[in-house]
Amino acid sequence: MRALTLVAACSALLATAHAADRKPDAVIKTKSIEARVFLDDKVKVDAALAADCLIEGKKWIDKNAAEAAASRKDDPQFFRDGGWDFERKYAVRSVVADRYVSILRNDYMDTHGAHPNSDVNTVLWDKAENKRISIRPFFAETADNGAAMKAMVKAVIASLKIEKKKRDTSETATDEWFKSVEPSLLKIGAVTLAPSTDAGKSSGLTFHYPPYAVGPYAEGEYVAFVPWETLKPYLSAEGTRIFGGARPKGDADEPQ
């Protein structure tokens, strides 16, 4: 319980600090909610990418503003101490082959429940096509329950078990907690191209899991790393071109 309280307190402090950093790129402030969207400077370098993220971010704050207003109308007693607090941040994690941009999308949400919540998702942007893509072009096949996806799931779970051992949370390294990690592009987890010691390359895939996804809330977020060598038998020509090198020292310890 103490760990749960500490995580909630840290989340609230971080959100407050983030909000004070600089002016948001989109904001809504009413009696029911204050919701903000931030794009980091590396996102803004690409006008098309920035516009795409901002459109999505504005839809997100509009949707939550409507839900907050409805909730305040139905249960005004829960808003006596103020409205909901929401924040979304888009940050570049890597740029590979001067074409593929991996973005982390981090959400913070406080609806006056037992504790604030957070979420993490990703965007993979193709600068050449000015659009979002999946990791599909980097593999010869990505069929649900196919060989490539099964190999990814196996490697993801192995990585998560290592991380749980580091955190002394091995008791939750169980099939029950990993059941949501399925051999499907839509169900394996939010993915980014990891940076590499070789310029312009990616050292593999990192999969990002919010609290509750593969462990209790108190354990926080998890990142699983799958090196490109594990994926080598399944790569397409484009995958073979962009993967190489090793994961930079310290990448696993940096906020992702």
Side-chain angles (χ1 to χ4, degrees), residues 9-189:
C10 288
S11 296
L13 287 172
L14 284 172
T16 302
H18 290 163
D21 284 345
R22 56 189 176 87
K23 184 179 178 181
D25 296 282
V27 62
I28 285 178
K29 188 171 184 179
T30 69
K31 292 181 179 179
S32 304
I33 191 172
E34 181 174 347
R36 305 165 297 276
V37 173
F38 292 91
L39 309 181
D40 80 6
D41 291 339
K42 292 181 180 178
V43 172
K44 294 179 181 179
V45 167
D46 187 321
L49 171 58
D52 181 270
C53 291
L54 197 54
I55 288 171
E56 179 185 64
K58 286 179 177 179
K59 288 180 179 178
W60 180 74
I61 61 176
D62 286 344
K63 175 178 178 293
N64 286 297
E67 291 179 359
S71 182
R72 185 171 182 270
K73 182 178 179 180
D74 292 340
D75 299 294
Q77 69 271 21
F78 295 119
F79 290 80
R80 289 172 182 168
D81 296 325
W84 293 356
D85 188 27
F86 278 58
E87 183 172 298
R88 170 168 288 186
K89 296 176 66 180
Y90 293 86
V92 172
R93 168 152 167 71
S94 68
V95 181
V96 174
D98 196 31
R99 176 173 179 176
Y100 303 111
V101 185
S102 290
I103 293 177
L104 285 176
R105 192 190 78 191
N106 286 287
D107 295 345
Y108 168 87
M109 300 150 287
D110 184 0
T111 59
H112 305 318
H115 54 74
N117 284 314
S118 62
D119 193 17
V120 60
N121 213 319
T122 59
V123 175
L124 183 56
W125 182 260
D126 184 343
K127 291 171 62 177
E129 299 291 335
N130 278 338
K131 67 178 184 180
R132 298 187 185 201
I133 62 171
S134 71
I135 58 172
R136 192 184 305 276
F138 311 133
F139 295 90
E141 64 85 20
T142 53
D144 289 359
N145 296 303
M149 296 308 305
K150 285 183 176 179
M152 278 188 219
V153 167
K154 182 178 179 180
V156 164
I157 291 176
S159 178
L160 289 172
K161 286 182 177 179
I162 291 171
E163 182 60 27
K164 281 179 177 278
K165 186 175 182 180
K166 289 179 183 177
R167 300 188 192 184
D168 196 24
T169 56
S170 295
E171 67 275 8
T172 64
T174 62
D175 290 343
E176 180 65 22
W177 277 111
F178 296 146
K179 67 181 181 180
S180 64
V181 183
E182 300 182 34
S184 163
L185 279 181
L186 297 179
K187 298 179 180 179
I188 192 170

Side-chain angles (χ1 to χ4, degrees), residues 182-213:
E182 300 182 34
S184 163
L185 279 181
L186 297 179
K187 298 179 180 179
I188 192 170
V191 63
T192 60
L193 296 173
S196 172
T197 52
D198 286 3
K201 299 285 188 178
S202 171
S203 61
L205 301 176
T206 39
F207 293 86
H208 304 260
Y209 300 97
Y212 291 126

